Amino acid sequence: MEINQETDNPKSIAILGSGAWGTTLAMLAEANGHKVRLWSRQSSQSLQDAIASADIVLSAVSMKGVRPIVQQVSSLVISPQTIFLTTTKGLDSSTTCTPSQIWQAAFPSHPVVILAGPNLSKEIQAGLPAATVVASKQAEAAVVVQAVFNSSRFRVYTNNDPLGVELGGTLKNVMAIAAGACDGLQLGTNAKAALLTRGLAEIIRIGDSWGANTDTFYGLSGLGDLLATCNSALSRNYQVGYKLAQGEKLPDILASLEGTAEGVNTTEVLVQLAEQQGIYIPISYQVYRLLKGEVTPQAAVEALMLRDVKPENNLPNN
């Protein structure tokens, strides 16, 4: 990998979470000459030692682990210059907050940066090219993170819409479950193209309602991540939908996965929020019913196809 221009000023990076994505990001940063400490609950090193004097604390834990790790880090000594970088994609079931919102609430004086994009870890580990986005309200912090990870095979862009970048990476997991079911039912390319097109419209509708920038969803963390996750068997969320369509039971599917399918929890929180706020989410709602066992994959597709006909453009409830 290319050594970037910042290696004459190497950063100290503490990565919390040693799963596939945390390990991949450690590899990318180390290849650029930065000092990386990888920590997990199984580590012999203490969390305090892992984050001591870290320029960047990177959270690569699952959604259910975000609040506990934030509470742990909050009780420790942190440099006032430390940047927090979150790569988790989900919504907190108890507060409906995004991961970055949880980190920012705990560390209001620190910059928080989000990293998201079409980043299947196994492809990146194999040296295949990829691109991603880092977003923050503090532009300087995003530039620092960009320099740490950018290389000839991992192109990093900055963005000033952290909410949109985070939501794009989060909500596409719901659509990936739907896409997996579509492929599992062998419904064909036309059906899947229609599903993803309307899925993107649904993601944009949610993002607009929550205050994100519409244009963000046409970028790497929106459309880019949607295409990657909804078209690859490497995606855990895609696997959930595919296997449900093949007749497997959700508990068995989740037990067999290497890691967490965040879309399962995200769907439940999303439906709750959408009902409270009056947001029209027909695809997400059918995914929710499928995950709850209320409908078969075939019935979920039929429910979507039998909706009232309407114009495609410029209506909020399309």
Side-chain angles (χ1 to χ4, degrees):
M1 291 214 174
E2 171 187 90
I3 301 299
N4 73 43
Q5 59 186 356
E6 290 293 312
T7 51
D8 58 346
N9 181 24
K11 302 298 182 183
S12 174
I13 305 162
I15 297 181
L16 312 181
S18 60
W21 192 219
T23 303
T24 301
L25 290 168
M27 177 193 74
L28 292 169
E30 287 176 338
N32 280 348
H34 301 284
K35 181 181 179 182
V36 176
R37 293 189 291 270
L38 193 59
W39 182 89
S40 73
R41 287 173 295 178
Q42 290 74 41
S43 299
S44 57
Q45 184 183 40
S46 71
L47 181 57
Q48 178 65 77
D49 288 342
I51 65 174
S53 303
D55 298 300
I56 299 172
V57 172
L58 189 162
S59 173
V61 300
S62 65
M63 188 65 237
K64 69 178 181 180
V66 170
R67 190 166 294 282
I69 199 66
V70 168
Q71 292 173 346
Q72 285 182 266
V73 175
S74 298
S75 67
L76 304 176
V77 178
I78 303 291
S79 167
Q81 283 76 44
T82 296
I83 297 169
F84 289 98
L85 173 61
T86 173
T87 67
T88 307
K89 298 172 180 177
L91 297 171
D92 184 56
S93 57
S94 59
T95 65
T96 69
C97 289
T98 68
S100 71
Q101 289 169 343
I102 296 172
W103 281 102
Q104 195 69 79
F107 298 96
S109 63
H110 289 256
V112 174
V113 180
I114 294 119
L115 185 151
N119 301 148
L120 297 166
S121 58
K122 288 186 178 180
E123 290 190 358
I124 296 170
Q125 289 173 2
L128 298 176
T132 198
V133 177
V134 290
S136 179
K137 294 179 181 178
Q138 290 80 25
E140 299 84 357
V143 170
V144 170
V145 174
Q146 178 186 44
V148 166
F149 292 101
N150 188 71
S151 74
S152 62
R153 289 189 176 273
F154 193 67
R155 177 78 172 174
V156 182
Y157 294 83
T158 58
N159 188 295
N160 61 3
D161 178 24
L163 177 61
V165 168
E166 193 166 34
L167 287 179
T170 294
L171 300 178
K172 55 84 184 171
N173 284 332
V174 180
M175 301 306 160
I177 296 173
C182 183
D183 284 351
L185 291 173
Q186 299 182 336
L187 298 182
T189 303
N190 290 334
K192 189 171 180 181
L195 171 68
L196 297 187
T197 302
R198 301 314 304 161
L200 178 61
E202 189 162 308
I203 290 172
I204 291 172
R205 189 181 308 122
I206 298 164
D208 286 349
S209 178
W210 293 353
N213 185 338
T214 299
D215 289 345
T216 301
F217 297 106
Y218 294 107
L220 286 167
S221 65
L223 178 59
D225 206 357
L226 181 71
L227 292 176
T229 309
C230 293
N231 286 295
S232 176
L234 294 175
S235 162
R236 292 185 290 270
N237 296 285
Y238 175 95
Q239 290 178 41
V240 168
Y242 190 93
K243 292 180 178 181
L244 284 171
Q246 295 288 304
E248 296 187 37
K249 302 298 184 183
L250 183 60
D252 296 333
I253 297 169
L254 298 180
S256 70
L257 293 177
E258 296 180 6
T260 303
E262 295 287 9
V264 175
N265 173 72
T266 298
T267 301
E268 185 161 356
V269 180
L270 174 60
V271 168
Q272 173 189 336
L273 282 170
E275 288 180 346
Q276 293 172 353
Q277 299 168 8
I279 306 172
Y280 184 60
I281 55 167
I283 298 173
S284 301
Y285 181 65
Q286 291 304 323
V287 171
Y288 170 80
R289 297 186 69 207
L290 176 61
L291 293 171
K292 289 294 185 181
E294 296 177 1
V295 292
T296 64
Q298 294 86 347
V301 171
E302 183 175 327
L304 290 171
M305 294 301 292
L306 293 180
R307 290 184 300 138
D308 292 341
V309 294
K310 59 186 70 176
E312 179 185 29
N313 295 328
N314 301 324
L315 288 177
N317 288 336
N318 283 346

